[in-house]
Amino acid sequence: MTTPLSSGNITSPNHTLATSSHSLLYVIFISGVAAIGGFLFGFDSGVINGTVSALGKTFNSSSVATGFNVASVLLGCALGALIAGPLADKFGRRSIMIFTAVIFAISAFGSGIADSSAEFIFYRLFGGLGIGAASVLAPAYIAEVAPAALRGRLATLQQLAIVLGLFAAFLSNYLIASAANGAEGIFILELAAWRWMFWAELVPAGLFLLGVLFIPESPRYLVAQGQLEKAKAVFRKISNEDAQSQINDVKQSLHGDKKPSIRDLFIDGKKKIHPIVWVGIALSVFQQFVGINVVFYYGSELWQAAGFDESQSLFINVLAGTTNILSTFIAIALIDKVGRKPLLLVGSIGMFISLSALTYTFGSAGLDEAGKLALTETMGTFALIMANLFVVFFGLSWGPVVWVLLGEMFNNRIRGAALAVAASAQWLANFTITMTFPIMLGSIGLAGAYGFYALSAFISVFFIVKYIKETRGIKLEAM
C-alpha cells in the first residue's frame, strides 16, 4: 500500500537533519512526555513482582490463581492495545493519552484497596487497558513527531521509560518491603506494605496527566483528519522543513482524503492481511517468547525457587532493573548508527547463549530438603551473571528495537490499526508466557522453562534474517 515517492521525499540514512536546536528541544520535550506513558507501562507491569507471595497469602490463592492474579492485567493490555489504535485514529493520539492517564490512576488506587482476588483482578484488568493503550500511543506519537535522523533514538525513549518504570517499581517495592519487614508487613496507616506498592504509581500517573495537557496533537493525525492549518502549525514547531511540503508528503502517503480505517490492514479487494502486519505480529510474539517478563514479573519467585531468600530476591530485581536501564542506553547510542536489524541479530544470538547457559545451570542443580533448587555458591553466581547478561542482550536489542520498528515500519495509512494489532498480539503472548511459567515451574522446572525461551531466541535469528528490513533514516512517508 505504499505510494512511490520521488527521490526528494525519501531520506537516506546519511541525510542532514533539518531541525533547529529550539525545534529539537521541543521535540525531545513532547516525546519525553509521551514516554511517561511507557514509564507507567513499566511501573504497572513490574510492581506485581514484589507482591506475588503476599497476594497469594492475603487472598489464599492457589498457584494457578496466583498466576492469574499476575497475568490478568495482560488480558486488559491486549484489549487496550487493540482498541487504542482505532480510537487514536478517530479521536487523536493526545486525547486518548489523557484518558489513559486517568485509567492508570484508578487502577493503582483500586489495586491497593482490593480485599478479594476478584476485586484485585478487576482493577488489574482495568489498568491493563491503560498499559495496552500506552504501548500503542507512545511509540506511534513519538514516531510521528520525530525527525527521521533521530527517530530511532527518540522512539527508544519509550523503552527507556519502560525500563525506568520497571526499575522504579522494583526499587519502591524493595524500600517499602524493607521498611515493613516484607510485603505482608504493616506499613503507613497500619496498612499492608503491598498496598502501598501499588499506590506509589499514583505519582507518575498524575505527572503523565499534567504533561499531556501541554503537548500538541500529532501533525500526521491532523493531516489525516483534514485539519491542515493545525498540522502546519505543529510542523513549524517540530521542524525547519517547509510545513506545506511535509503536509503534501503525508497526504500523498495517505492515498487521498479517505481517513484511516481498520479495513486498510487487508490487501485491496482481498481478505488477506498485509504481510507487513504479520511481520509486526511475529516481532511482538518473539519479544515475549524469549521469557524476559518472567524475569520481571516473577523475579522474586524465580530467585527464591533457585535458593535465595525474599530480601535477596528483591535486591536481585533491583540489580536486573539497573542492568536493563544501562543496556537501553547502549541501544539509544547505536540504533541510529548501526541500524535496527543488526541490533536484533546480536540480541537474539546473545539471548540464546545466556538462556542456554541458564537452562544447563538449573538443569544440573540438585534439590534441598524443601524441594527447592540448591545451587552451589559458584553456580549461583554464574546463574546471576547469565541472567543479567540475558537482560543486557534483551535491553540493547529486542526491548527497544521492537517498539521502534512497530512505531515506524507501517505506512501512515495503517500505522494506528497495524500497531494496535501487533501490540495486542504482544500482550496475548505475554499473557501466555506469564500464565504458563508457574505451571512449567511445577512440572518441568526452571530448566524446562528456560529451555523453551532459549529455543525461541534461536528461532528468532532466522526470522530476523529473512523478514526484517532496515528502516534506519527513512522518512515515515517513504515506508
Side-chain angles (χ1 to χ4, degrees), residues 40-41 44 68-81 83 96 98-113 117-134 198 201-202 205:
L40 286 162
F41 163 1
D44 207 80
F68 193 73
N69 282 338
V70 177
S72 59
V73 67
L74 303 175
L75 293 177
C77 292
L79 179 60
I83 64 177
I96 304 304
I98 292 173
F99 184 62
T100 298
V102 176
I103 289 177
F104 275 121
I106 294 173
S107 172
F109 180 74
S111 298
I113 65 171
S117 186
E119 187 180 359
F120 178 80
I121 288 171
F122 170 79
Y123 282 112
R124 289 296 285 169
L125 281 168
F126 189 68
L129 295 175
I131 300 176
F198 289 104
E201 188 182 345
L202 288 168

Side-chain angles (χ1 to χ4, degrees), residues 310-321:
E310 182 184 32
S311 178
Q312 291 172 325
S313 298
L314 288 172
F315 181 75
I316 291 171
N317 286 340
V318 176
L319 181 63

Side-chain angles (χ1 to χ4, degrees), residues 38 97 101 164 185 218 235 247 264 279 300 324 379-380 422 427 463 466:
M97 279 194 277
L164 285 172
S218 160
F235 272 128
I247 287 174
D264 295 323
V279 173
S300 178
N324 203 6
M379 293 302 285
W427 290 114
F463 167 73
K466 185 170 183 179

Side-chain angles (χ1 to χ4, degrees), residues 250-299:
V250 176
K251 289 178 69 176
Q252 186 178 1
S253 71
L254 290 170
H255 303 270
D257 296 325
K258 182 174 177 290
K259 294 181 180 180
S261 164
I262 195 76
R263 291 188 295 272
D264 295 323
L265 297 183
F266 295 87
I267 298 173
D268 293 336
K270 300 180 181 179
K271 295 183 179 180
K272 293 183 178 179
I273 294 177
H274 278 283
I276 189 67
V277 179
W278 287 115
V279 173
I281 291 172
L283 269 172
S284 292
V285 171
F286 274 117
Q287 189 200 52
Q288 296 305 312
F289 273 31
V290 296
I292 187 65
N293 281 318
V294 167
V295 175
F296 292 136
Y297 296 165
Y298 289 108

Side-chain angles (χ1 to χ4, degrees), residues 172-188:
S172 66
N173 283 356
Y174 175 71
L175 294 175
I176 291 172
S178 296
N181 293 317
E184 298 173 71
I186 300 301
F187 196 46
I188 300 173

